[in-house]
Amino acid sequence: ERDVTVPVGVHDEVGRLSEGFNAMTASLQDAEEELRAYATDLEVRVAARTEELRASKAEVEAQALRLEELDRLKTRLFANLSHEFRTPLTILLGPIEDALASDTPMPEPLAGQLPSMQQSARRLLDLINQLLDLAKLEAGALDRTPIDFGDLVAGTVAAFESEAVQHGLTLVVAGVEPSPVVLGEARHLRRVVANLVSNALAHTPEGGRITVQLAASEETARLTVEDTGSGIPAEALPHVFDRFYQVEASPTLGRAGTGIGLALARELVEAHGGTVSVTSEVGVGSTFVVTLPTTDAAPVALAPSSSQAATVPRLPRSMAEASDDSLALGERPTLLLVEDHAALRDFLARALAEGYEVHPAADGAEALALAKSLRPDLIVSDVMMPNLDGLALAAALRADDALRATPVVLLTARADAADEVAGLDAGADAYLAKPFSLPVLRAHLDALVERHQTLRDRFRREVVVQPSEIVVTSDDAAFVERVRAVVEDALADPHLTVEVLADRLAVSPRQLHRRMRALTGLTPAAFVRAMRLQRAATLLAGRSGTVAEVAYAVGFRSESHFTKRFKAEFGVLPSVYGEGSAG
């Protein structure tokens, strides 16, 4: 074995390396501790930030819910305000339009002021509708259908021709072939065109010109409304589409807008995926340009706008002019009028009193109770009322066997299609938006009375004369068939009175009387007598007994009374009728 001698310097070097390694190890341990502490701190901070974000998200969601609720409240507020505005507008427009339609001469200056009053009231109604449209745009989606934009523009602009002539303006419309088809909601697009044309008319002096130009490219319809009016200052141009912004009135025209029309036009265009812009020069005029995306779909037929002809056909005569034979025994139809606004209720009661026996009620609950005792021929009701609204009233009437056939006309400030559908679903026969035209209301009522008159004549002809051949197709027919069946079962009973008949039908004698008169034109007693005479004629024709035997068989107490009634009904004596039938 050899002894290995390690130099002293190597020992020293190994010691230094060992110390360095230990130092590095301690340093790594310290770094590890720092990293661990940092990670822990980071976790704490991430958890805290996550909690903050979660709380922030919850707050945002709560704010979104509050905003949605505010939108609903705002829309409801606008609807309620609209109701409050539309009711006095109905009271204003109704007498004005009645006076304008009357043939009675009116004193001056009233005769000259009425057209201006009518125009102002309609303008106020238009502003109310625009405010409602602004509110609803934020809350609902559009009902999009393919629309022939050229037809829509031409029809809308045509409504302004008389106003242009009145103000000494030239209104020109230039279309394009083929007419572009756009996807949207017709009433909203009409509003866009109407607002732009109305704005041009309002700011163009006498002798000026408004040009409405339609053009189309492969994917875009372009509508231009150009006027030679007062123009818009440069500093006002960026704000003309802002809500409630008003450019100062022209010193020559003296008219300022409301700040609603152009704002509504822009929001409607943007809701349809389009754009609207304006260029203008003071003293030269303004040009508004609307662009809308087009579609290849075939356009649907446009429904008439509210400014066009009445929505119901006129009957050849009003109820006030109807002859006695068109009503039950010459009586006027009974009309239950339900309206919580006292002034409007009084106005309508006076306006309808000429042709109807009007019974007023202040709300739906009072009306329902009155309807059950009165059994009216017609019911005209407001929709928004305390205690029981018009929709609930219509539904309650339809759920009542004794009242479900009563025609109901609803009058309301809620003019949307969805509201009209809700009214018709509740059981209304007609739905008129306030302010409505009195001639249109009367035409609806006349049509309903005429329809029930026709139904009543059919019952009188078929149910009594040929009871075995009727096909029951309605609640009214079913009721008359029940009456006929009860009468047939007791035809030989001379004690079958109206009271007994009503008791067997589980209705009051008054209800039975009113409903039978309304449906057949006959009182219950006359209906029973007619059925007895018809059965007697059948028995006599079949030689089923002597005159006396037949008379007693159908419930007459004396042969002489039977003979008198039979001759009045058929024009011959029962003995002769039997012989003639046998021969």
Side-chain angles (χ1 to χ4, degrees):
E1 294 183 2
R2 289 181 59 186
D3 292 333
V4 178
T5 303
V6 179
V8 175
V10 173
H11 281 287
D12 294 340
E13 186 65 24
V14 170
R16 284 195 299 272
L17 288 173
S18 178
E19 290 175 1
F21 178 78
N22 292 335
M24 288 178 61
T25 300
S27 178
L28 287 173
Q29 290 175 344
D30 291 342
E32 184 180 359
E33 288 295 328
E34 290 179 6
L35 285 172
R36 190 176 292 112
Y38 179 77
T40 302
D41 181 62
L42 185 60
E43 287 178 0
V44 171
R45 282 187 289 170
V46 167
R49 181 58 179 162
T50 301
E51 188 60 33
E52 288 177 8
L53 291 174
R54 188 177 290 112
S56 178
K57 178 184 177 182
E59 184 178 352
V60 169
E61 290 174 348
Q63 288 178 346
L65 290 175
R66 285 196 296 270
L67 288 174
E68 288 179 7
E69 180 62 22
L70 284 174
D71 279 340
R72 284 193 293 269
L73 290 173
K74 182 173 64 175
T75 302
R76 190 183 310 161
L77 172 64
F78 274 110
N80 291 339
L81 284 175
S82 171
H83 179 267
E84 295 301 321
F85 286 139
R86 285 174 185 266
T87 297
L89 271 175
T90 301
I91 301 173
L92 287 172
L93 274 171
I96 291 172
E97 292 180 346
D98 247 14
L100 288 172
S102 173
D103 295 330
T104 304
M106 288 177 292
E108 291 291 347
L110 180 60
Q113 293 173 342
L114 283 176
S116 177
M117 295 165 64
Q118 181 189 42
Q119 185 178 6
S120 296
R122 287 181 173 174
R123 173 60 177 159
L124 180 56
L125 173 63
D126 186 61
L127 292 174
I128 293 169
N129 290 336
Q130 292 193 51
L131 282 171
L132 280 171
D133 284 341
L134 276 173
K136 291 170 185 173
L137 270 177
E138 300 174 354
L142 297 174
D143 182 14
R144 298 176 185 270
T145 55
I147 296 166
D148 186 318
F149 197 39
D151 283 354
L152 183 142
V153 170
T156 305
V157 176
F160 291 92
E161 289 177 354
S162 60
E163 184 179 348
V165 172
Q166 182 182 351
H167 290 94
L169 302 172
T170 301
L171 180 58
V172 178
V173 184
V176 63
E177 291 294 342
S179 178
V181 177
V182 299
L183 202 61
E185 192 165 339
R187 70 184 184 93
H188 286 324
L189 293 178
R190 283 194 184 103
R191 173 71 71 187
V192 171
V193 178
N195 282 359
L196 294 179
V197 175
S198 177
N199 179 74
L201 289 171
H203 293 90
T204 303
E206 185 176 351
R209 180 185 180 91
I210 295 103
T211 303
V212 181
Q213 176 78 45
L214 184 61
S217 64
E218 195 170 309
E219 297 180 347
T220 304
R222 178 184 175 93
L223 174 69
T224 303
V225 180
E226 182 179 5
D227 66 65
T228 58
S230 56
I232 304 170
E235 64 274 12
L237 275 177
H239 306 290
V240 293
F241 296 112
D242 293 347
R243 291 188 184 185
F244 310 117
Y245 180 82
Q246 294 174 282
V247 180
E248 289 187 12
S250 165
T252 55
L253 298 176
R255 300 196 296 270
T258 60
I260 300 173
L262 293 180
L264 179 58
R266 182 190 65 177
E267 296 192 28
L268 287 171
V269 169
E270 291 178 350
H272 284 80
T275 62
V276 59
S277 60
V278 59
T279 57
S280 185
E281 184 178 347
V282 174
V284 177
S286 304
T287 301
F288 288 83
V289 178
V290 172
T291 61
L292 291 168
T294 57
T295 178
D296 294 330
V300 299
L302 288 174
S305 65
S306 58
S307 62
Q308 295 174 3
T311 57
V312 294
R314 294 298 184 92
L315 295 177
R317 53 194 168 89
S318 70
M319 292 310 304
E321 300 166 336
S323 59
D324 286 347
D325 63 354
S326 69
L327 301 177
L329 303 182
E331 293 182 350
R332 291 181 301 166
T334 303
L335 186 147
L336 177 58
L337 174 63
V338 195
E339 170 60 60
D340 61 323
H341 193 285
L344 180 57
R345 185 171 65 247
D346 292 343
F347 163 68
L348 288 175
R350 289 193 303 271
L352 299 174
E354 186 178 8
Y356 298 89
E357 180 187 324
V358 181
H359 296 263
D363 58 50
E366 179 185 345
L368 186 59
L370 189 56
K372 290 180 178 180
S373 61
L374 183 64
R375 284 303 309 277
D377 298 298
L378 295 162
I379 296 176
V380 176
S381 176
D382 188 20
V383 171
M384 297 176 65
M385 297 182 296
N387 299 327
L388 190 71
D389 65 23
L391 297 181
L393 172 61
L397 292 169
R398 294 298 176 253
D400 190 314
D401 288 338
L403 297 169
R404 66 172 55 190
T406 307
V408 177
V409 177
L410 292 180
L411 310 175
T412 180
R414 295 178 173 176
D416 281 358
D419 294 319
E420 183 173 357
V421 169
L424 297 175
D425 284 346
D429 294 86
Y431 191 95
L432 299 182
K434 295 178 181 179
F436 49 83
S437 165
L438 272 176
V440 171
L441 173 60
R442 290 190 183 108
H444 273 292
L445 298 178
D446 288 356
L448 290 170
V449 170
E450 188 81 4
R451 187 179 74 188
H452 276 251
Q453 174 69 29
T454 302
L455 183 64
R456 183 184 62 199
D457 290 344
R458 172 175 171 265
F459 284 148
R460 181 161 51 189
R461 182 178 65 255
E462 297 181 358
V463 177
V464 177
V465 178
Q466 297 173 330
S468 62
E469 298 180 10
I470 184 168
V471 178
V472 178
T473 57
S474 70
D475 291 331
D476 288 336
F479 177 77
V480 178
E481 175 64 13
R482 284 175 56 209
V483 176
R484 188 197 61 76
V486 171
V487 174
E488 280 195 336
D489 287 343
L491 206 59
D493 183 2
H495 302 291
L496 180 62
T497 64
V498 174
E499 289 73 17
V500 172
L501 181 59
D503 183 64
R504 294 183 183 181
L505 292 165
V507 296
S508 71
R510 177 182 173 84
Q511 287 177 333
L512 177 63
H513 180 86
R514 290 196 60 82
R515 194 163 186 183
M516 291 301 292
R517 284 280 291 274
L519 295 176
T520 69
L522 300 172
T523 65
F527 184 89
V528 171
R529 183 170 60 249
M531 287 195 64
R532 281 175 166 160
L533 291 172
Q534 287 295 329
R535 177 61 60 82
T538 301
L539 294 174
L540 289 169
R543 302 182 67 82
S544 299
T546 65
V547 171
E549 289 172 340
V550 168
Y552 294 125
V554 295
F556 280 88
R557 299 187 184 189
S558 71
E559 182 180 349
S560 61
H561 181 60
F562 167 71
T563 299
K564 179 181 178 182
R565 288 294 187 183
F566 193 94
K567 184 177 181 180
E569 179 72 16
F570 296 103
V572 296
L573 293 171
S575 56
V576 175
Y577 185 91
E579 293 173 0
S581 300

